[in-house]
Amino acid sequence: MKDFYHLYNILHGKGDDSAAAIVERINSRHCINTADYAAKIGLSLQSYKLGSLDK
């Protein structure tokens, strides 16, 4: 299981345009704070299983 911060760090480090666009959206919408708060009040989890749609 990977946490939201792990995914964010992977995207932030990629450096390509699509990853940069996603990171900008996460930052502009304060998604990290939202994900923390949602987990705190029981609306979401902080751990995710990453999968591939290419299988």
Side-chain angles (χ1 to χ4, degrees), residues 16-35:
D16 62 26
D17 290 339
S18 62
I22 295 168
V23 169
E24 195 282 323
R25 273 183 82 92
I26 290 169
N27 290 336
S28 70
R29 289 160 178 78
H30 309 289
C31 290
I32 291 180
N33 295 336
T34 303

Side-chain angles (χ1 to χ4, degrees), residues 1-7 31 34-36 38-39 43-51:
M1 299 293 269
K2 302 293 183 184
D3 66 13
F4 183 77
Y5 296 105
H6 181 77
L7 176 60
C31 290
T34 303
D36 284 342
L43 291 177
S44 72
L45 302 173
Q46 284 290 333
S47 295
Y48 302 90
K49 184 176 182 181
L50 300 177

